[in-house]
Amino acid sequence: MQNFEFQLSTRIVFGRDTIKQTGAEIARSCRKVLLVCGKGSVRRSGVFDAVVASLRDAGVAWVEFGGVRSNPLLSQVHEAVQLAKREGVDGILGVGGGSAIDSAKAIAAGAASDRDVWAFIDGTATVEKALPVFAVITLAATGTELNGLAVVTNDITKQKWPLRSPLIQPRVSILDPTATFSVPRDYTAYGGVDAFSHVVEAYLVWPEPSTPLQDRMSEALAMTIVEAAETCVRSPHDYEARASLMWAAALGWCGLIPAGAGRARLPNHMMEHSLSALHDVPHGAGLSAIIPGWARYMVESGQSGKLPRLARNVFGVNEKDDRKAALAGIAAFEAWCQRLGSPTRIGQFGSIPKSALPAIVDNAAVTAIAWGMGDAYPRDVIAAVLDGCW
Amino acid sequence: MQNFEFQLSTRIVFGRDTIKQTGAEIARSCRKVLLVCGKGSVRRSGVFDAVVASLRDAGVAWVEFGGVRSNPLLSQVHEAVQLAKREGVDGILGVGGGSAIDSAKAIAAGAASDRDVWAFIDGTATVEKALPVFAVITLAATGTELNGLAVVTNDITKQKWPLRSPLIQPRVSILDPTATFSVPRDYTAYGGVDAFSHVVEAYLVWPEPSTPLQDRMSEALAMTIVEAAETCVRSPHDYEARASLMWAAALGWCGLIPAGAGRARLPNHMMEHSLSALHDVPHGAGLSAIIPGWARYMVESGQSGKLPRLARNVFGVNEKDDRKAALAGIAAFEAWCQRLGSPTRIGQFGSIPKSALPAIVDNAAVTAIAWGMGDAYPRDVIAAVLDGCW
């Protein structure tokens, strides 16, 4: 095991009807928040109204910044930072899925600084303060509700990169599984794939070999996500499945599970960010379209690693030969994605012609270097992997 | 899943040579600490000197309160509270195993109050402030390093009861697996049993039936503890095994794993506290002497619950019949204890004659009521269970 430091500083309020507690939780430290949300689903689902009623009851004032789009844009963050400063808010409340919460985090860093937020992302500056962030999460997917990460896309450079700082980790996160009842089938599926991918990509690629507990916890999460996501897609109002998926997604990317395993640099996430930055596909859909091709590339290039173990322990593959087990595991992952209704090849996105490949590869090659994976993923490797995903 | 609130507020510093960071971590918020430790093992192992050197380097003053005994006594806590007040310390640093850290926590509550510490334990008062607590843990066992619990024995009433407050949760815990290299074989074993018991007792008795993720994470921890404890007993300087055992023990009783499963009221812990309060046996040894008898009682009284699943998933029992599987699992647990060198019957403690049973039962019956288990564990049930443990 490797040395590590870890703190799960977010206060977690989990369960049915917990959205009612939002205002009281925020009122402990803030008087006026910027309420950051998306384009309409939180209004249609009633979550927005419940949050606002709770703020009102607790005497917390709020200003809305709505219309955050998926794969949130830096230009929107800039706009919201100006609004936050103008209105003199003392906290940022994200309500929605990963896009709303990630935006809230980036805004929180920007609103407490004179620097351009992108400087915190490209590494030219470090976040030194941030307004407190609060989250009401309505999608089991990214795990943003329990970490200090925010992924933002630069409109100009088309780089979809993360902002990392413990200061933007939510102070309180409200996880109410009933808030995910109205998530449509496709986004439920993509969220499940994203959550699975955080856990499993890390498990497959972290550098430390001696991680018996981390391996087993990862498998525990992965099995639960596989099982729960399928139930959620079939029975959107199944509270237990929604709750398990929500909790597994949150735990899966909060840093606890891979603590001690060394830093995992996720190759599928690296490549998918280029896909969604350039073609605006949902992140989870992009992942499920890339993972099978990447995994086959790993098998064919003699880098199966823990793929056979994943196949056996998570997908129940009963096969002694490692290569066959790995391939059967990949097939089982594809079958799971198909049952969820998530693509397993990039070619399935009607909107992305094969001629788009070189630009995606160029974009990803820059990300690979920025994320410290340039050695393992030079341009030709990325091209070979993505070509195999079509 | 049940609703829950959770925060893992402790900053965790884990790994080789991390004891050197103790002073710098404390210096962020304190200038002078009471250093609470045991009778000599931390001095012999060099941990005490390393901690003190680190405090000196960071400019943190310290006063020693040494000689804390295992199953720490309220009278010692009282004495230390007076010392802390007299010396005007602004933090409490526990260095050692569960006894030292639990004492540090109780002292931290007492030193910030005019109430007798026992009032916080018997429920007549609530902790409203506490000095910040820091921990350097040298035994993988109780998990005290990541929770807000402190177990203290009242010298007069012989009640071994917990103090619970988020305010006594360590602000920073240093987990250096090398600090456990010198733990003797017997205490390594007892620590492993205690850690196993926290995870598995909770898993076996928590009230919520729908906990797929919590079940799997518990099994992940239990398997790791079983495996690592055995390696540690055989090879005390095996860093990887010591690290896995230390991390699993810490995670196992921090509240994260059973979050959402409802409150687990641990019957074996309840009964063992009477054993160690009255006869001063090591807590883990007492647990391993009680668990098999308790588990057989559960099987015989038609309350097998998850025992068959535990047997199959943790001990690899391959048996379709639930009753046979449960009994085979109990036998596997006993065999594990025997390999560790931990007793599996109370009769194995030469120091506890069978005539001591009624007094132990009386003591436990009071604890059962105080812990909210009086209905399931009236005096006659406790007597029957413990009789079967001899």
Side-chain angles (χ1 to χ4, degrees):
Chain A
M1 208 185 301
Q2 298 190 9
N3 285 15
F4 66 88
E5 296 179 6
F6 180 76
Q7 185 171 18
L8 188 56
S9 59
T10 302
R11 179 172 147 74
I12 301 162
V13 179
F14 187 103
R16 206 185 280 275
D17 290 332
T18 49
I19 289 177
K20 287 177 188 159
Q21 294 171 238
T22 310
E25 292 289 342
I26 294 174
R28 293 178 183 194
S29 50
C30 294
R31 288 162 171 246
K32 182 178 182 182
V33 293
L34 187 73
L35 195 168
V36 179
C37 60
K39 287 183 167 168
S41 66
V42 294
R43 286 187 181 273
R44 286 191 300 276
S45 68
V47 168
F48 184 88
D49 289 343
V51 167
V52 162
S54 156
L55 293 174
R56 194 177 298 125
D57 289 349
V60 177
W62 55 278
V63 189
E64 183 183 346
F65 182 82
V68 169
R69 35 160 281 173
S70 68
N71 298 317
L73 296 174
L74 181 63
S75 57
Q76 283 200 308
V77 170
H78 285 155
E79 199 186 320
V81 165
Q82 294 314 314
L83 179 62
K85 287 181 172 175
R86 206 159 57 231
E87 291 281 346
V89 302
D90 57 1
I92 312 287
L93 167 61
V95 177
S99 301
I101 314 297
D102 281 13
S103 297
K105 291 171 167 181
I107 295 161
S113 165
D114 292 329
R115 300 296 300 256
D116 184 307
V117 169
W118 194 255
F120 302 132
I121 296 178
D122 73 7
T124 52
T126 303
V127 178
E128 275 163 16
K129 17 179 221 178
L131 295 185
V133 175
F134 304 90
V136 174
I137 186 83
T138 62
L139 182 67
T142 74
T144 185
E145 58 275 25
L146 294 191
N147 66 37
L149 282 171
V151 178
V152 175
T153 299
N154 185 317
D155 319 40
I156 313 293
T157 64
K158 295 288 178 196
Q159 285 157 337
K160 184 179 172 185
W161 284 7
L163 166 55
R164 295 172 197 275
S165 166
L167 296 172
I168 60 169
Q169 175 138 353
R171 191 168 290 194
V172 181
S173 279
I174 309 283
L175 286 75
D176 183 341
T178 67
T180 66
F181 281 176
S182 59
V183 175
R185 182 190 162 105
D186 52 356
Y187 274 83
T188 298
Y190 304 153
V193 172
D194 190 24
F196 176 90
S197 165
H198 290 141
V199 174
V200 170
E201 267 206 84
Y203 160 95
L204 290 174
V205 305
W206 63 47
E208 172 62 30
S210 176
T211 50
L213 180 56
Q214 293 84 346
D215 287 337
R216 289 184 179 119
M217 288 196 296
S218 300
E219 289 161 359
L221 266 78
M223 287 169 81
T224 304
I225 291 165
V226 166
E227 184 180 272
E230 228 176 305
T231 307
C232 291
V233 161
R234 222 170 35 229
S235 312
H237 288 253
D238 184 314
Y239 181 82
E240 295 304 332
R242 289 287 193 185
S244 283
L245 186 59
M246 180 171 252
W247 187 219
L251 283 181
W253 204 224
C254 72
L256 181 81
I257 305 300
R263 184 158 169 208
R265 301 167 191 275
L266 311 189
N268 293 288
H269 267 70
M270 177 269 289
M271 293 180 284
E272 195 295 316
H273 279 201
S274 298
L275 208 61
S276 50
L278 294 172
H279 296 279
D280 204 23
V281 299
H283 175 52
L287 285 169
S288 74
I290 290 176
I291 289 171
W294 170 81
R296 283 204 187 86
Y297 178 89
M298 296 303 276
V299 174
E300 297 311 332
S301 58
Q303 306 172 75
S304 289
K306 281 190 279 193
L307 279 167
R309 174 175 171 156
L310 175 78
R312 294 177 184 123
N313 291 2
V314 172
F315 289 107
V317 168
N318 187 4
E319 166 59 59
K320 284 190 182 159
D321 178 78
D322 275 355
R323 182 188 154 83
K324 285 183 188 163
L327 293 173
I330 297 167
F333 172 78
E334 289 177 312
W336 177 61
C337 292
Q338 281 153 9
R339 290 195 299 277
L340 293 182
S342 197
T344 54
R345 293 179 295 105
I346 298 175
Q348 287 174 269
F349 294 109
S351 58
I352 312 180
K354 186 75 185 268
S355 59
L357 178 59
I360 297 170
V361 173
D362 287 342
N363 187 293
V366 176
T367 307
I369 292 165
W371 291 16
M373 310 162 73
D375 285 352
Y377 290 89
R379 202 184 177 291
D380 63 316
V381 169
I382 295 172
V385 170
L386 290 179
D387 188 68
C389 297
W390 233 272
Chain B
M1 208 186 302
Q2 298 190 8
N3 285 15
F4 66 88
E5 296 179 6
F6 180 76
Q7 185 170 18
L8 188 56
S9 59
T10 303
R11 179 171 146 74
I12 301 162
V13 180
F14 187 103
R16 207 185 280 274
D17 290 333
T18 49
I19 289 178
K20 288 177 188 159
Q21 293 172 237
T22 310
E25 292 289 343
I26 294 174
R28 293 178 183 194
S29 50
C30 294
R31 288 161 172 247
K32 182 178 182 181
V33 293
L34 187 72
L35 195 168
V36 179
C37 60
K39 286 182 166 168
S41 65
V42 294
R43 286 188 181 273
R44 285 192 301 276
S45 68
V47 168
F48 184 88
D49 289 343
V51 167
V52 162
S54 155
L55 293 174
R56 193 177 299 126
D57 289 349
V60 176
W62 56 278
V63 189
E64 183 183 346
F65 182 81
V68 169
R69 36 161 280 173
S70 67
N71 298 317
L73 296 174
L74 181 62
S75 57
Q76 282 200 309
V77 170
H78 285 156
E79 199 186 322
V81 165
Q82 293 315 313
L83 179 62
K85 287 181 173 176
R86 207 160 56 231
E87 291 282 345
V89 302
D90 56 2
I92 312 287
L93 167 61
V95 178
S99 301
I101 314 297
D102 281 12
S103 297
K105 290 170 167 180
I107 295 162
S113 165
D114 293 328
R115 299 297 300 257
D116 184 307
V117 169
W118 195 254
F120 302 132
I121 296 178
D122 73 7
T124 52
T126 303
V127 178
E128 276 163 17
K129 17 179 221 177
L131 296 185
V133 175
F134 304 90
V136 174
I137 187 82
T138 62
L139 182 67
T142 73
T144 185
E145 58 274 25
L146 294 192
N147 66 37
L149 281 170
V151 178
V152 175
T153 299
N154 185 318
D155 319 40
I156 313 292
T157 64
K158 296 288 178 195
Q159 285 157 336
K160 184 179 172 184
W161 284 6
L163 166 55
R164 294 172 198 275
S165 166
L167 296 172
I168 61 169
Q169 175 138 353
R171 191 168 289 194
V172 181
S173 279
I174 309 284
L175 286 75
D176 183 341
T178 68
T180 66
F181 281 176
S182 60
V183 175
R185 182 191 162 105
D186 53 356
Y187 274 83
T188 298
Y190 305 153
V193 172
D194 189 24
F196 176 89
S197 165
H198 290 141
V199 174
V200 169
E201 268 206 84
Y203 160 94
L204 290 173
V205 306
W206 63 48
E208 172 63 29
S210 175
T211 50
L213 179 56
Q214 293 85 345
D215 287 338
R216 290 184 179 118
M217 287 196 296
S218 299
E219 290 161 358
L221 266 78
M223 288 169 81
T224 304
I225 292 166
V226 166
E227 184 179 271
E230 229 176 304
T231 307
C232 291
V233 161
R234 222 170 34 229
S235 312
H237 288 253
D238 185 314
Y239 182 82
E240 295 304 332
R242 290 287 192 185
S244 284
L245 187 60
M246 180 171 251
W247 187 219
L251 283 181
W253 204 224
C254 72
L256 181 81
I257 305 301
R263 183 157 169 208
R265 300 167 191 275
L266 311 189
N268 293 288
H269 267 71
M270 177 269 289
M271 293 180 284
E272 195 294 317
H273 278 200
S274 298
L275 208 61
S276 50
L278 294 171
H279 297 279
D280 204 23
V281 299
H283 175 53
L287 285 169
S288 73
I290 290 176
I291 289 170
W294 170 81
R296 283 204 187 86
Y297 178 90
M298 297 303 277
V299 174
E300 297 311 332
S301 59
Q303 306 172 76
S304 289
K306 280 189 279 193
L307 279 167
R309 175 176 170 155
L310 175 77
R312 294 178 184 123
N313 292 2
V314 172
F315 289 108
V317 168
N318 187 3
E319 166 59 59
K320 284 190 182 160
D321 178 78
D322 274 355
R323 182 188 154 82
K324 285 183 189 163
L327 293 173
I330 297 167
F333 173 78
E334 289 177 312
W336 176 62
C337 292
Q338 281 153 9
R339 290 195 299 277
L340 293 182
S342 198
T344 54
R345 293 178 295 104
I346 298 174
Q348 287 174 269
F349 294 109
S351 58
I352 312 180
K354 186 75 185 268
S355 59
L357 179 59
I360 297 170
V361 172
D362 286 343
N363 186 293
V366 176
T367 308
I369 293 165
W371 291 16
M373 310 163 73
D375 285 352
Y377 290 89
R379 202 185 177 291
D380 63 315
V381 169
I382 295 172
V385 171
L386 290 180
D387 187 68
C389 296
W390 234 272

